[in-house]
Amino acid sequence: MSATFTRAVRYRVEAVCRTPLRAGGADGAVETVLRDWAGRPFVQGTSLAGAIRNWLEDRDPCQVESLFGSQQQSGSLMVSDGLFEAAAEQQTRPRLRIDGATGAADDGGKFDVAHIAAGTRLTFTLTWLGSEEMLEQTGAVEQMLAALHAGEIRLGAQKTNGFGRVSLTVQKRSYRMEDAGDRAAWLKDREDGTSLTLPELTLGGQVVFTLTGRADSILVKAGAREMRSSPKGGNRNVMVPLRENGRAILPGSSVKGAVRARVTAIAEILGLEDAVTEELFGRMSRRNADGENQDNGLPGKVRFEDAVLSGQSQEISRIRINRFTGGVIRQGLFVEEPIRSEITLRITLSEKESRGCGLLLYALRDLGLGLYNLGSGGAVGRGYLAVDTIRAQAPDGAEACLRFGQDRCCTMDDPAGLFARWLDAIRRDEA
C-alpha cells in the first residue's frame, strides 16, 4: 500500500488584529461573537479557508481544486480553527442602516455589532500534505499568507467596513516522511519551525486610495451619552465621539455610507445603470411580498478603513429650536464633543474594477471640494474636510495624485495615466 503523503509542510501562524475582527455568533445575532465550549472567541477553520480560497480563486483558479478539494477529490491543504488569546476583549459598535430610497434611517435599522478589539492575537495553522512532485503548491499557500499579511485578504464579517485586517508572523516546518527524524517530529507535533519571510505578491492586487487632510469639527456619536459634572454644579449629558481602545475613530462604515451615497448620485448623473452602486458596495438580501429572502444579497468590492482621530476635542453647547414657534424647546439644551483632527482615509478596490476606481475618484474629489461631509452634523458645518491630497497607487507601483489648495482648487498629477484609464472606462459605459 502506497503512502498517502510523503511530504508535509506546516505553517504556524500568529496574527495580530490591526482592525477589529468579527466572527459571527452561531445564533446569527450581531451583538455576540462566536465562542467555543469554554467561552473563548474563535474563528472557524471553514471561515479562514473560505477567505483565502476566494482570493486564490480570483487570481489563480488552476490551484484551487488541488489545494482545497472538490466533490471529486480531497484537497492537500488543511486549515485549523483560529483561536484568540484568553484576554481577548469584546467590543460593540453602534450602526445605523439607511434606506437608500429616502435617505433616512431604515425601519429597525439601528443595531450594535460585536467584534474582537484591534490588537488582539489570533493563532491558527495551515498544513499541506503531498509529495515531492507537488511541493510547488506551497508557493500558492505562501502567496495566500502574504496576501493576508498585506491586507488583501480579510477575515470574518464586515470586511468592507474595515474589519478583519491582520498582520502575520509565520513559522514554517517541512517534513520528509522517508526521514526517521522528520517522522518523529511530525508524530510528536514539535514546534521547531523556522521563521518564514513572506514572499512578494505576484497574483494581482488592489488599488489603494489614500486621502490626507483635516477636519475642524467632526463627530461620530458613540452609542451612549456620557454623564459629566458641570462647572456650575449638577450634571449634564454629553454626546461623545465613538472611541475604541482609548482612541476616537471615524468608522469605515461611516465613510462607506457617505461615499456610497455620492457614487450613487454621480452614477445617476452619468446615466450609468442602477446596479453599479450595488456591484461596488454590495446590498442586503432582497425580500418578496411575504417577507422571505429571494437571494443572499451581494458582497461589496470596495473596502474602507477606520480613521483614527488624534486631535483635540471641545465641548459645544447647542439648543433645539421649535420649528413652529421659533423658540427654544424646553430642556432643549444639549452638549456635543466634536474633534479637530488630522485625517487619513484608506480605501482599496481591485485593479480590475476600472469603472469603480473612476467613480471612487469622482466621489473623493467631491469630498475634497467640500460637496458633502463625514459623520453627523453636516447641517451645522461639521465633518467637512480640508483635503490636501488624494493619492492612488496601483499594484505595479504606478501612482497618481489630486492636490487641493486653500481655496479648494484641484490639480491633477497623473504621469502613468491611471486616472485617464479609469475615466475612459466610465466614458465607454456612458456611450
Side-chain angles (χ1 to χ4, degrees):
M1 181 177 178
S2 61
T4 306
F5 60 93
T6 57
R7 290 294 302 267
V9 180
R10 175 166 289 155
Y11 301 90
R12 296 189 183 275
V13 182
E14 182 180 276
V16 177
C17 299
R18 295 305 178 193
T19 63
L21 193 154
R22 170 161 173 76
D27 59 356
V30 294
E31 299 89 353
T32 61
V33 297
L34 186 63
R35 297 180 182 274
D36 62 15
W37 62 272
R40 191 167 175 178
F42 75 106
V43 180
Q44 295 182 89
T46 52
S47 178
L48 295 172
I52 60 178
R53 177 183 178 134
N54 287 344
W55 182 87
L56 186 65
E57 197 164 26
D58 188 48
R59 290 160 177 80
D60 193 6
C62 297
Q63 295 270 22
V64 172
E65 188 170 321
S66 59
L67 282 172
F68 294 94
S70 65
Q71 293 184 347
Q72 287 73 41
Q73 68 175 55
S74 59
S76 57
L77 185 66
M78 297 185 295
V79 184
S80 75
D81 290 342
L83 191 62
F84 289 100
E85 58 187 321
E89 177 188 357
Q90 176 179 316
Q91 299 176 338
T92 57
R93 182 178 293 188
R95 292 284 305 280
L96 182 65
R97 189 180 301 113
I98 300 297
D99 186 328
T102 65
D106 196 4
D107 184 27
K110 190 177 187 306
F111 58 101
D112 293 329
V113 173
H115 59 264
I116 300 301
T120 308
R121 296 184 181 277
L122 170 76
T123 56
F124 60 93
T125 61
L126 304 182
T127 305
W128 176 86
L129 305 176
S131 63
E132 195 74 36
E133 295 74 21
M134 300 164 57
L135 197 59
E136 64 180 15
Q137 292 180 359
T138 59
V141 176
E142 292 173 17
Q143 279 285 303
M144 290 186 288
L145 289 172
L148 188 57
H149 180 69
E152 288 202 12
I153 301 175
R154 304 292 179 93
L155 301 180
Q158 302 285 325
K159 299 180 183 71
T160 60
N161 292 328
F163 285 27
R165 184 175 184 180
V166 296
S167 61
L168 307 183
T169 302
V170 183
Q171 297 286 322
K172 177 181 178 181
R173 176 62 155 96
S174 298
Y175 305 86
R176 293 177 63 253
M177 294 308 164
E178 298 90 345
D179 183 272
D182 281 353
R183 285 200 307 273
W186 171 259
L187 293 172
K188 294 180 180 179
D189 198 22
R190 292 179 189 161
E191 296 191 13
D192 55 353
T194 58
S195 180
L196 173 66
T197 300
L198 294 172
E200 294 276 337
L201 281 175
T202 58
L203 300 176
Q206 302 279 318
V207 174
V208 181
F209 292 86
T210 305
L211 179 150
T212 58
R214 58 204 168 278
D216 287 336
S217 177
I218 189 167
L219 177 63
V220 179
K221 298 175 184 176
R225 299 184 183 187
E226 187 175 296
M227 185 67 72
R228 295 179 181 174
S229 60
S230 173
K232 297 180 180 180
N235 295 320
R236 66 195 190 285
N237 282 325
V238 181
M239 294 180 182
V240 295
L242 179 64
R243 284 187 169 88
E244 289 182 357
N245 299 334
R247 304 178 302 176
I249 62 168
L250 174 62
S253 58
S254 181
V255 181
K256 176 183 174 182
V259 172
R260 176 178 183 146
R262 194 65 187 178
V263 166
T264 301
I266 292 169
E268 184 177 348
I269 292 170
L270 296 176
L272 301 180
E273 65 271 19
D274 294 338
V276 63
T277 304
E278 293 182 352
E279 292 174 3
L280 282 175
F281 299 94
R283 61 167 171 80
M284 301 287 290
S285 58
R286 291 197 175 104
R287 297 187 178 185
N288 57 25
D290 297 326
E292 299 174 343
N293 289 341
Q294 293 179 308
D295 56 28
N296 294 322
L298 188 68
K301 299 176 181 178
V302 189
R303 291 178 175 173
F304 294 80
E305 302 282 352
D306 292 347
V308 176
L309 305 177
S310 57
Q312 297 295 317
S313 61
Q314 181 181 8
E315 291 186 8
I316 303 293
S317 297
R318 294 180 58 196
I319 54 174
R320 293 187 179 90
I321 300 297
N322 187 315
R323 68 180 68 181
F324 300 105
T325 67
V328 179
I329 295 177
R330 186 178 181 183
Q331 296 181 340
L333 178 67
F334 62 99
V335 182
E336 294 179 332
E337 191 180 44
I339 296 176
R340 178 187 179 96
S341 177
E342 300 290 323
I343 291 180
T344 300
L345 302 181
R346 188 174 183 273
I347 304 168
T348 58
L349 178 62
S350 171
E351 63 177 334
K352 298 178 182 179
E353 300 290 334
S354 294
R355 180 178 67 172
C357 288
L359 290 170
L360 269 182
L361 178 63
Y362 275 140
L364 293 176
R365 177 209 60 182
D366 287 357
L367 184 62
L369 294 177
L371 300 182
Y372 63 102
N373 74 306
L374 302 178
S376 64
V380 294
R382 294 216 174 103
Y384 291 93
L385 305 188
V387 175
D388 295 324
T389 60
I390 299 171
R391 298 184 182 276
Q393 183 176 43
D396 62 2
E399 291 188 353
C401 181
L402 293 181
R403 292 185 173 85
F404 295 82
Q406 291 184 350
D407 56 355
R408 295 191 185 273
C409 179
C410 179
T411 59
M412 181 174 69
D413 182 14
D414 187 23
L418 276 182
F419 291 166
R421 184 167 72 246
W422 299 339
L423 299 181
D424 282 344
I426 294 177
R427 294 188 188 102
R428 288 195 299 270
D429 286 340
E430 286 183 89

